[in-house]
Amino acid sequence: MKEIKIIESLPVERWGEYKNLYLEMVKGEPLAFSETLDETLKTKDDEWEKELQEALDKKSVLIFAEHDGILIGMGGASFHRLEKMKHNAFLSSLYVNHEFRGLGIGKQIIEKREELILQHGGIKNIFCEIIETQIASIELHKKLGFE
């Protein structure tokens, strides 16, 4: 059994690893994510750092799965910034490297992500948008209580 570590927040210094995992995700599953590879490649280094810092500051959620010191999965969530909408959270980017699928890592990421979202306080709705061709992701989210 492969030992997997779930990381609640990644230090900003590891932004390059986050960027590489994200690029792997978009390259490997181009139809699964709304962002294109060209759009992702235009992301500046300081924007990757900013995203990790926002997660550390609890302004968003970024969960990572790691095996032998290498990032092999991730999931994100954001919180609405408008006062009247602050009770909403939005799930984004669930990804597990192909070699590690079927081991329950996606489920662990989803459950930890939901736990951290609820710790944020005041959240009444968690919205999840999944591209319709991603049947496995849709089925997993349904199994975990999403509609």
Side-chain angles (χ1 to χ4, degrees):
M1 182 72 173
K2 298 176 180 182
E3 188 173 327
I4 306 300
K5 179 180 176 185
I6 301 297
I7 302 171
E8 292 184 16
S9 351
L10 200 64
V12 174
E13 298 78 35
R14 294 184 69 182
W15 69 267
E17 295 170 70
Y18 167 43
K19 175 183 177 179
N20 289 338
L21 181 67
Y22 202 94
L23 286 169
E24 173 187 313
M25 175 181 80
V26 175
K27 284 179 188 174
E29 305 283 344
L31 301 177
F33 301 99
S34 55
E35 191 171 343
T36 68
L37 179 58
D38 287 340
E39 291 167 335
T40 303
L41 289 170
K42 290 177 185 174
T43 304
K44 296 179 181 170
D45 293 349
D46 63 336
E47 293 178 59
W48 297 104
E49 293 174 340
K50 181 182 174 189
E51 286 184 20
L52 289 177
Q53 187 61 55
E54 286 183 352
L56 287 167
D57 294 341
K58 310 291 186 209
K59 294 178 182 174
S60 66
V61 173
L62 280 173
I63 305 294
F64 295 90
E66 182 179 66
H67 172 66
D68 287 342
I70 298 171
L71 298 180
I72 52 99
M74 64 165 288
S78 60
F79 303 106
H80 214 295
R81 299 190 192 273
L82 297 176
E83 189 62 38
K84 291 180 183 179
M85 301 297 286
K86 283 188 174 187
H87 60 282
N88 295 322
F90 303 87
L91 302 185
S92 61
S93 304
L94 176 65
Y95 173 75
V96 176
N97 177 286
H98 288 275
E99 182 181 333
F100 295 88
R101 292 186 182 174
L103 300 175
I105 298 167
K107 180 182 179 205
Q108 290 178 59
I109 292 171
I110 291 168
E111 290 174 343
K112 179 54 76 174
R113 182 170 59 178
E114 186 174 350
E115 176 187 319
L116 293 176
I117 289 169
L118 295 175
Q119 286 177 9
H120 185 71
I123 299 297
K124 295 180 182 173
N125 302 306
I126 300 175
F127 294 98
C128 180
E129 293 180 340
I130 303 171
I131 293 175
E132 65 186 10
T133 59
Q134 300 305 301
I135 304 302
S137 183
I138 292 169
E139 289 176 1
L140 177 58
H141 281 83
K142 283 183 178 180
K143 182 178 175 183
L144 295 173
F146 288 88
E147 298 176 7

